[in-house]
Amino acid sequence: MRAIRTASAALLATAAVALSAPAALAGDDPGADPGTGRNITSFGFSVTPRTVAPGGTVTLTSDGCEVPSVTVTSGIFDTVTLTEGRPGTATVDIDAKAGAEYEIAFDCKGERGTTTLTVDHGTAPPPAPVTPHPPRPPHKGVKAGFGGSTGSDALGTAELAAGGVLIAAGAGTAVVLTRRRGRTGGRP
């Protein structure tokens, strides 16, 4: 575990040096904007807002690029592709270092322009509220009954007569079988 932490720290230090070197040289670049120290490109680009809390969302825009897509990369969010001048959004990593300034690179057919994004000391945005679902009423089960084609819940005369006949036939059969068993000595 310690080796992973050490390797991560070394990688972050190397990335910080690599990212700060081009920014330092941008002021010496003849194509650099003297007011911002960033490259002037043949296409426009922006990040809004310029300061965001870890876990926050930024809007990325680009215009004037002759190809249909511009690729936006940074170390604090996933790569975003802006298609045909439409804006896109990116969510800043929740573990972005508060108070740090990160480089955002816009690539239009190999021409690269950069700007910075500052991570605020604020906290991450609150999670989206969970909307409770109303409880579902319990299932009432199947309605059992006698059925019939009349549609009423009461027994009809025909059903009562048929039931009586069946009960009488069952009782008569039981009496006959009992008497027969008594005469044969218990053998069927």
Side-chain angles (χ1 to χ4, degrees):
M1 190 68 147
R2 180 172 285 163
I4 293 173
R5 282 191 220 140
T6 305
S8 297
L11 183 60
L12 285 174
T14 304
V17 170
L19 290 175
S20 65
L25 295 176
D28 300 333
D29 186 5
D33 179 2
T36 64
R38 298 290 173 209
N39 296 338
I40 297 176
T41 60
S42 64
F43 66 100
F45 55 89
S46 68
V47 177
T48 309
R50 298 293 305 256
T51 302
V52 66
T57 302
V58 293
T59 301
L60 309 165
T61 58
S62 174
D63 60 10
C65 186
E66 295 175 8
V67 294
S69 64
V70 173
T71 304
V72 185
T73 57
S74 178
I76 59 169
F77 56 76
D78 293 334
T79 299
V80 176
T81 301
L82 305 177
T83 306
E84 297 181 1
R86 285 182 282 224
T89 59
T91 302
V92 174
D93 293 340
I94 195 74
D95 59 349
K97 184 178 177 184
E101 190 174 272
Y102 291 90
E103 182 177 81
I104 311 297
F106 291 79
D107 187 301
C108 169
K109 67 178 181 176
E111 182 180 8
R112 187 171 185 258
T114 60
T115 188
T116 58
L117 176 66
T118 303
V119 177
D120 191 9
H121 292 288
T123 60
V130 177
T131 305
H133 294 283
R136 291 175 41 181
H139 184 65
K140 293 183 180 180
V142 178
K143 181 178 178 184
F146 295 105
S149 62
T150 61
S152 73
D153 290 337
L155 290 176
T157 308
E159 288 95 4
L160 286 174
V165 169
L166 288 173
I167 291 173
T173 303
V175 168
V176 170
L177 289 175
T178 304
R179 285 188 180 177
R180 188 182 297 170
R181 189 172 275 170
R183 282 187 277 180
T184 60
R187 288 178 290 160

